[in-house]
Amino acid sequence: MAYIGGSQEKLVVDTTSLAQTGQNIVQNATDLGTQIQHNWSDFQKHYEALPSFPQSVLADYYTARSKELANLLQRRQQVGQLLQTVSNLYEFNEQALQTMFKGMQTGIAPDASGLLKDLIPGQH
Amino acid sequence: MGWLTSVMQACCNQLNDAATALTNLQNACINANDQYSQDATNLVSQQQYGGKGARAFLAEVNTDINANSVVLDGIGHVATALTNFSSAITTRCTTYDTQLAALQFSWEQNDNGYDNPFSYDQFNSFRDMLINGTFENLNEVIFPARDHQDGLAMILVSGSAALPEAYANNVNAVYQTAEKVAATLVSQSVQFYYSPSDQADDAAAVQKDAHDLVHTLSEQILPILTNWADDLAGEGITFTLAVQNAQNYLSARDIYDFIYNSANGVDQGSQSTNKPITITPYQTADGKTALLITISGTDPGHMWDTSVLNAINTGVNGAGDPTDNPYYLDVNTAIATYMSEHKDMEGAEVTFAGYSLGGMVAQLVTNEEAAKGSALAQNNLTVKNVITYGSPIMGPKYRGVNYTLYDSQFDPIPDLSSYVILGGSKDPHNLYASNMHYLTDVDVVQAPGILAVPELSVLNHMHYYQSNQLNSPSTALNINPTTLGPTEYFTMPHSPEYTPSSAPVIPLA
């Protein structure tokens, strides 16, 4: 439970779902990472058996896509961790969230510690 | 299995297996995306989190998902490129194998006036040696083998360039074999029946026959192998370009995935949900602001807007007053609602993509673009593209709209509108000839019992997600795939089934 609101009032809110959602997202990302690893391994096996021509076309494919997928996973883990860490609705306040997640639009994975710093002053 | 098909089979299998691995990878990510979006939606749909911040959170999650779709769609495009490459190789091999097989018949008919001393089996054996030996020579002599694949790799890159040398080396070997066969025949005192009679029945003549046979055969085989190799190299270029271009476009199948995606056998997308309409902002390749509006198809699980009954009603009364159609009104309301929240999108271009009933309604909404009460007109939105999957044509084209109509093989639904039925064909007035595309690479299902023809099975309406033809670069529209914003989902407020609990997840002002 957490207390939220301005200086005039306090509102009790159940934040279980917030933490649970964060946990789900982290777990989902972890599971996806395992699945991706398995699928890449499968792909590599067949890739290595190909004649050299199709191989050469796909030569950098694994490397490039792996980085992008790792970035996807990292970003998702950070979002999940953020939701887990945020423990009251003040921290989930509208302005902070709008500012925080706007950073994701840049296409650069947000720094979780930076986001937390913005969101939870004094918590670092 | 033919000679060429056999030579390329291992390569094709590996291409297909690599494609399957990538498809599985893409599907795993799509499933995870769905779960990610669902988790965020569930959280934000709770009353205490329904403010602007929470909505921003959901929007950013959905933006993140769509931004990553460039990568995931790109993986799907490469999987399709691998599959298409494999199919193209197989098709080319089959074509030229048929020509090689036909040589047998040609030779028999091409008798020079005397009986050939060689048997059918010997002829076949020489042909086998001429073809198979060439590849062995290519792999083992010209390109020393790495699992017998490097010679094939050179064909895929350079076409027939290396073939003449390999072929010539091999033909000499086959000549020697044929002469030995001839000598054996003579030693066995096989009786030959030469005509004209001036042909001496002796070893020299038989050996000359052997030489002539191999020579004639080799002259016929080489051009076939050359054409085959050059065609494969052309397919190799197509494959290369497809892989290089994989992340530069949004295919018709990528757009269809918004509606229906059967990743790992689990339906994703808006089809058969309470929120069958989606709106996603994007930018065109030349930087214009635009909206992608997808409209799902008939859902037997609903009794009103997306029901089978309304699908029939839409097909029959399509040309009538569309405001009688609840699904039409739902789409109009969805656009109006979205625009009330996104004033910056006023004046945008619109791409409609609809499946089945959704495609029919997309056409109706487009036709009413300028009508009073149209959300398109009120927000100065201009329809540029209408894409349909398994939808009948509803009437003549609307001005300035680019139509792309995909019909799956044996799908009966595109035959079901009054415009089509009364006109007697899918395109009664030949207005859409260049806009209609038939998909032939999906599963075909026969109707059961005495109706056992595929044209009568509605299951053939449900396999669009399988089509690699839908996923090729040629199906791309003028959409910059890196610019997709968050997808918003809209329900059916004109349905008696509508309740607050089935209201849009994002609380709209």
Side-chain angles (χ1 to χ4, degrees), chain B residues 348-369:
Chain B
E349 295 183 356
V350 168
T351 292
F352 278 117
Y355 165 57
S356 187
L357 170 62
M360 297 158 77
V361 170
Q363 294 174 67
L364 297 184
V365 176
T366 298
N367 291 342
E368 297 297 313
E369 177 187 286

Side-chain angles (χ1 to χ4, degrees), chain A residues 36-100:
Chain A
I36 286 173
Q37 203 168 20
H38 170 77
N39 292 134
W40 270 136
S41 169
D42 197 24
F43 173 75
Q44 283 289 95
K45 186 178 68 185
H46 299 300
Y47 162 83
E48 284 165 8
L50 285 170
S52 56
F53 164 66
Q55 263 197 18
S56 65
V57 174
L58 297 166
D60 299 324
Y61 190 71
Y62 168 78
T63 309
R65 295 296 86 75
S66 287
K67 281 180 186 170
E68 289 168 340
L69 291 173
N71 193 36
L72 177 155
L73 290 174
Q74 184 190 22
R75 183 195 306 244
R76 208 158 293 187
Q77 294 266 13
Q78 287 172 333
V79 170
Q81 286 163 3
L82 187 66
L83 291 179
Q84 280 183 290
T85 308
V86 172
S87 60
N88 65 50
L89 203 49
Y90 170 76
E91 296 158 357
F92 200 62
N93 77 71
E94 298 174 357
Q95 194 57 48
L97 273 171
Q98 280 182 315
T99 304
M100 178 180 70

Side-chain angles (χ1 to χ4, degrees), chain A residues 14 17 24 28 32 35-36 39 43 46 49-53 61 65 68 72 75-76 89 94 98 101 105, chain B residues 14 17 24-25 28 32-33 35-36 39 46 49 51 53 57 60 64 75 78 146 149 153 157 240 247:
Chain A
D14 183 354
S17 57
N24 289 348
N28 186 19
L32 178 59
Q35 186 66 44
I36 286 173
N39 292 134
F43 173 75
H46 299 300
L50 285 170
S52 56
F53 164 66
Y61 190 71
R65 295 296 86 75
E68 289 168 340
L72 177 155
R75 183 195 306 244
R76 208 158 293 187
L89 203 49
E94 298 174 357
Q98 280 182 315
F101 288 102
Q105 285 182 330
Chain B
Q14 294 297 348
D17 288 343
N24 290 340
L25 174 61
N33 275 351
Q35 189 60 51
Y36 183 35
D39 284 340
Q46 295 174 39
Y49 301 135
F57 166 67
E60 292 302 337
D64 194 34
I75 290 172
V78 171
R146 183 188 63 81
Q149 296 275 22
V157 174
T240 303
Q247 293 197 187

Side-chain angles (χ1 to χ4, degrees), chain B residues 407-416 426 439-440 442-464:
Chain B
D407 289 355
S408 179
Q409 198 174 20
F410 304 118
D411 182 353
I413 304 300
D415 291 321
L416 301 178
K426 285 186 194 312
L439 308 176
T440 56
V442 296
D443 287 351
V444 175
V445 180
Q446 295 226 341
I450 59 169
L451 302 175
V453 290
E455 288 86 349
L456 292 176
S457 174
V458 77
L459 292 176
N460 291 315
H461 185 54
M462 299 174 179
H463 296 148
Y464 287 81

